[in-house]
Amino acid sequence: MPFTDEVRAELAALPIERPCCRVAFLAAVARAVGAVHLHGGGRVHVELDLGLNVTARRVVRVLRDGGASCEIRTYQAHRFGQDTRFRIVLGEDDATRAMLVEAGVLGRSGAPLGELPAR
């Protein structure tokens, strides 16, 4: 296993106990590997694309512990070999949207934010 994967796996094993830590974790993951797709009618679709299963499981656990809905999908990356990748698709429900607003991914209007809020 490459060193960076070892570090990511170790970081994914650290406990996230406080709500502020959960929000910071989600904000960091969304900024690093997230994609926001805008649809008509004010709908927003958010996906996170991860390479390690331990990290994907951690993100799903943090999302669900916060009341958000999501599903995890796998696919084969053809860019650099046949590695399995993990795509987490977030729900469009109110609880998920509220969590994304709190994390600074979306603004109160539902539009994606260009920068993290100062908080």
Side-chain angles (χ1 to χ4, degrees), residues 45-97:
H45 183 82
V46 179
E47 295 181 353
L48 309 173
D49 194 337
L50 300 156
L52 289 177
N53 64 351
V54 67
T55 310
R57 284 193 311 265
R58 178 62 171 278
V59 170
V60 168
R61 187 173 347 117
V62 166
L63 287 166
R64 290 185 178 159
D65 286 351
S69 64
C70 63
E71 75 176 50
I72 187 166
R73 301 174 184 168
T74 61
Y75 68 96
Q76 298 297 316
H78 298 290
R79 294 178 291 218
F80 303 110
Q82 297 293 326
D83 295 340
T84 299
R85 303 278 305 170
F86 303 88
R87 180 168 291 142
I88 299 170
V89 180
L90 280 68
E92 296 182 22
D93 56 283
D94 292 337
T96 304
R97 183 176 291 238

Side-chain angles (χ1 to χ4, degrees), residues 17-53:
E17 298 170 355
R18 299 184 311 184
C20 61
C21 295
R22 180 176 38 244
V23 170
F25 177 79
L26 179 59
V29 169
R31 293 287 170 175
V33 298
V36 178
H37 305 281
L38 304 175
H39 297 281
R43 292 181 43 235
V44 178
H45 183 82
V46 179
E47 295 181 353
L48 309 173
D49 194 337
L50 300 156
L52 289 177
N53 64 351

